Amino acid sequence: MNGAPPQDDPRIIARRLARTLRRRRLGAFLLVAPLLAFTLVVFVTPIADMLRRSVADDELARAWPRVAAALKEHGTDESGVPGEAVFAALAEDLRTSWENRTTAAAARRLNYEVPNGRSLAMNTARWVEGLDEAPESWRAALIARDPAWGEKATWSAIHHASGPISDYFLLASIDRRRDVDGTIVQVPEAERLYVQVYLRTFGIALSVTLLCLALGFPAAYLLASLPSRIGNVMLILVLLPFWTPLLVRTGAWVVVLQENGFVNQAILWLGLSDTPLRLIYNRTGVLIAMTHVLLPFMILPAYSVMRSIPPDYMRAAKSLGAPPTTAFLRVYLPQALPGIAAGALLVFIIALGYYITPALVGGASDRMISSFIALYTTGTANWGLAAALGSGLLVATLLLYLVYARLVGGVRAGAI
Amino acid sequence: MKWIQPVVAAAAVSIGLAGAAEARDLTVVSWGGAYQDAQKKIYFEPFKAATGKPLLDESWDGGIGVLRAQVEGGNATWDVVQVESEELELGCDEGILEEIDWSRIGGKERYLDQAVHDCGVGAIVWSFVMAYDRDRLAEAPTGWADFFDTAKIPGKRGLRQGPKGNLEFALMADGVPIEQVYDVLATEEGIDRAFAKLDTIKGDIVWWTAGAQPPQLLASGEVVLTSVYNGRIDAANRNDGRNFGIVWPGSLYTLDSWVILKDSPNIDAAYELIEFMGRPENQAKLPEAIAYGVTARDASAQIPADRLKDLPTAPENLAVSLQISDAFWLENIDRLTERFNVWAGN
């Protein structure tokens, strides 16, 4: 016994404790492992892929590998048009891409930057493939076939699209592009869209959040202060919107808010206005419908936190001489804040991604960013732009969340 | 015709053995909903009865990406698919569709010229028309000029949100002859002109996004005129007892086509099915169920005259309509969508 340290040696105890803690941690990790794996597969991977697609730009280079390489090697003359070697590479690319049926991908990419780029690529490829013998000079032949091949803009577009990565889509998502010399410029005024749509998206989400806060806070307060029997019945009423499909709810708002709908008839009957008000197919309709849909997300977290606040605290504050407003601000609000903050964040984040409701009850100036992401994903298959717009939304949301965390944290620290 | 589906019909999952392509039955894919029900009754079931061959049918919502995935995955579960004109054009360019051997489906002369394409054969013709409520508007509008004339016909107008169709309508209203619309649109001045015309009624436009909305907007009196897919108006009149009228002059028509996916293991059966669906006597039964025109030249003669007048393919309707130019829109949709949204959002 005299060689071994005694069983109650602090070092041994510490080691045992460490072992137990490790085992516990491992157990906890194993418990969350399935969820973690699930999250990685269905959440992190697609987002990473989206971020990748917003800078990946290899469609053209995959269809036309030779011209991309030749252009990097030989460059262009001072007029911005390359020489015979690059044109020969282009002709070979056009021919093989037509045979392999891959011209369409390059054509689509070219079309983003060059007006009529699609038909330029398709028609020239069809023509090259049909030639019996190579012309003396590909450069002369191709420019004769279509003058666009002799223009600086065409070649700077091919250069931009030579991949493997480019900032084309990211720039497009903030209304910028590179001009023929490679400097970043704003797109023409008639095409400046996305910055405005981002601002609009965040504006609508913020407005809806504030409306939900104004309506949801008193409702949650009422629910929390009622006896639980009545409170539970009222809670069911709050949950009711969850049991009707989104489209049905939206459709109901259309019926209620339209020009000769219920609300307008009531307004006319009460003499509040002589003409029907425009309550739908504009921003008003969007805010009403979205607030209605998202209100439960505000009420539920706020209610669950408010329930746990003992009413004695307020009574104590009052008996110690605090006026009701001070008692509410200094005692009740700080305790309720986590619930309100969670609700507000939930509403804001969900509102950012809405597009079906704004599309059905809003006007053309109420389209949110996600509707454009959907358009480019499924409609026109411009995945680079869709990914860039999605990445922009993700980054902006994360930045806002950081600001929000600082603010809410700050409020809580100040309240103690 | 993504818009024809009221609710997505659950697609029957084909139980073909993965990898064992030759063991797979012929599978035809269409747009679901009331339209596919009609096709089942008129085409698919009779084909099975006539040939004794198995045939599965599924539905889809469109999208070139879906077809790409089917073919490039090397394990396609579909053979014959009904596609919209853009998918036909893109799919043909990308080589994911079989080139049609016309001798196996009755020859090119059996079909309308517009129905003949390297990679597909027209299945139906549908139109983008102007509609109004006869109960509210005593005098029928004559064309798009009236649509843009808020003094003559006061009230709001419904248009589909987006540039497609609206730019054409605006130019027609501005006096461009119908056959020159795409020539004018091919120039920057033409596009400016179309936007300038739209600008004149900007404050009176209600934008719709889903095909079900325009009939509802008309019925509620929210708009007095609207652009709409012709099948929706016909359905509202027949099923909901509405009294809507269609203005055919200046309408835009387009075709949906049957295509065969590249390297289909059932290519012979696929041709047999398309040939069967292309017979005039079979096609003539479809418009009774749903207001689309059909593509066999001799089919119209077998359709009752009072039904034919409701179809895009009635000779008098076709004569005053314009085919949507896929070449133009494939080239310009992204750019003009951006421009349209900047214009509409300000």
Side-chain angles (χ1 to χ4, degrees), chain B residues 73 77 79 90 134 153 251 324:
Chain B
T77 52
D79 302 296
L90 290 168
R134 287 200 182 94
I153 304 175
S251 53
I324 293 178

Side-chain angles (χ1 to χ4, degrees), chain B residues 37-110:
Chain B
D37 292 342
Q39 287 176 309
K40 239 185 255 199
K41 200 175 98 200
I42 291 154
Y43 297 145
F44 307 158
E45 295 301 330
F47 174 79
K48 279 194 259 189
T51 61
K53 290 191 172 161
L55 172 67
L56 298 170
D57 68 297
E58 295 187 20
S59 58
W60 76 316
D61 280 338
I64 187 71
V66 179
L67 299 183
R68 254 184 234 156
Q70 277 277 340
V71 174
E72 288 167 8
N75 192 9
T77 52
W78 298 349
D79 302 296
V80 178
V81 185
Q82 186 161 136
V83 298
E84 287 188 311
S85 49
E86 284 161 19
E87 287 141 1
L88 172 66
E89 210 60 53
L90 290 168
C92 202
D93 285 346
E94 293 177 18
I96 57 175
L97 306 176
E98 288 286 342
E99 289 199 19
I100 297 290
D101 175 356
W102 289 88
S103 66
R104 301 180 69 177
I105 56 170
K108 287 185 184 181
E109 57 286 350
R110 183 197 271 183

Side-chain angles (χ1 to χ4, degrees), chain A residues 101 104 108 111 116-119 122 190 192 194 196 258-260 278 281 359 364 367 372 375 380 382, chain B residues 68 92-94 99 156 161 207 209 213 216-217 220 222 330-331 334 337-338 341-342 344-346:
Chain A
R101 294 282 198 159
R108 187 173 58 226
N111 197 40
N116 305 328
R118 186 174 181 275
S119 48
M122 297 302 293
R192 280 174 215 168
Y194 301 115
Q196 190 197 3
Q258 62 193 6
E259 206 132 289
N260 48 15
R278 292 301 293 172
Y281 308 121
R367 282 188 82 175
F372 289 97
L375 171 78
T380 68
N382 184 346
Chain B
R68 254 184 234 156
C92 202
D93 285 346
E94 293 177 18
E99 289 199 19
K156 299 230 174 264
Q161 190 168 296
W207 299 106
T209 45
Q213 286 177 288
Q216 196 269 330
L217 290 170
S220 68
E222 195 78 7
L330 282 174
E331 197 87 65
D334 282 10
T337 296
E338 281 173 12
N341 280 293
V342 174
N346 291 334

Side-chain angles (χ1 to χ4, degrees), chain A residues 30-262:
Chain A
L30 286 176
L31 281 175
V32 298
L35 179 65
L36 193 68
F38 178 79
T39 310
L40 271 178
V41 170
V42 304
F43 199 70
V44 177
T45 323
I47 287 181
D49 191 53
M50 176 185 77
L51 293 169
R52 183 188 63 80
R53 277 181 191 279
S54 65
V55 292
D57 196 354
D58 57 357
E59 273 189 309
L60 186 132
R62 262 191 308 185
W64 296 347
R66 295 178 194 84
V67 73
L71 199 57
K72 283 198 175 94
E73 189 186 339
H74 299 289
T76 61
D77 58 24
E78 59 278 4
S79 68
V81 181
E84 182 61 31
V86 178
F87 270 94
L90 171 69
E92 186 57 24
D93 274 337
L94 286 167
R95 199 178 56 74
T96 50
S97 73
W98 188 259
E99 282 169 3
N100 304 334
R101 294 282 198 159
T102 53
T103 317
R108 187 173 58 226
R109 177 62 185 88
L110 198 59
N111 197 40
Y112 295 155
E113 283 188 81
V114 185
N116 305 328
R118 186 174 181 275
S119 48
L120 173 68
M122 297 302 293
N123 294 341
T124 317
R126 190 180 300 122
W127 175 75
V128 169
E129 207 271 330
L131 286 177
D132 295 325
E133 51 187 40
E136 208 161 300
S137 153
W138 276 114
R139 185 175 181 195
L142 284 169
I143 291 175
R145 171 76 195 164
D146 194 321
W149 291 117
E151 281 166 22
K152 190 176 180 178
T154 310
W155 287 100
S156 86
I158 292 176
H159 175 70
H160 291 170
S162 292
I165 58 165
S166 82
D167 53 11
Y168 172 76
F169 297 112
L170 287 175
L171 287 173
S173 75
I174 49 168
D175 301 335
R176 302 281 190 288
R177 60 180 174 82
R178 289 183 181 276
D179 64 7
V180 288
D181 303 318
T183 6
I184 296 176
V185 294
Q186 276 203 302
V187 298
E189 200 163 345
E191 289 164 27
R192 280 174 215 168
L193 173 65
Y194 301 115
V195 172
Q196 190 197 3
V197 175
Y198 273 125
L199 293 173
R200 176 192 302 164
T201 303
F202 285 101
I204 290 177
L206 186 66
S207 312
V208 169
T209 308
L210 293 175
L211 282 169
C212 282
L213 195 62
L215 294 170
F217 184 82
Y221 183 81
L222 177 70
L223 284 174
S225 56
L226 285 171
S228 65
R229 220 164 22 85
I230 307 169
N232 284 342
V233 176
M234 300 283 275
L235 200 59
I236 289 176
L237 291 179
V238 171
L239 290 173
L240 211 55
F242 280 135
W243 299 333
T244 41
L246 182 74
L247 282 174
V248 173
R249 271 179 295 173
T250 310
W253 278 116
V254 173
V255 173
V256 169
L257 295 174
Q258 62 193 6
E259 206 132 289
N260 48 15
F262 169 76

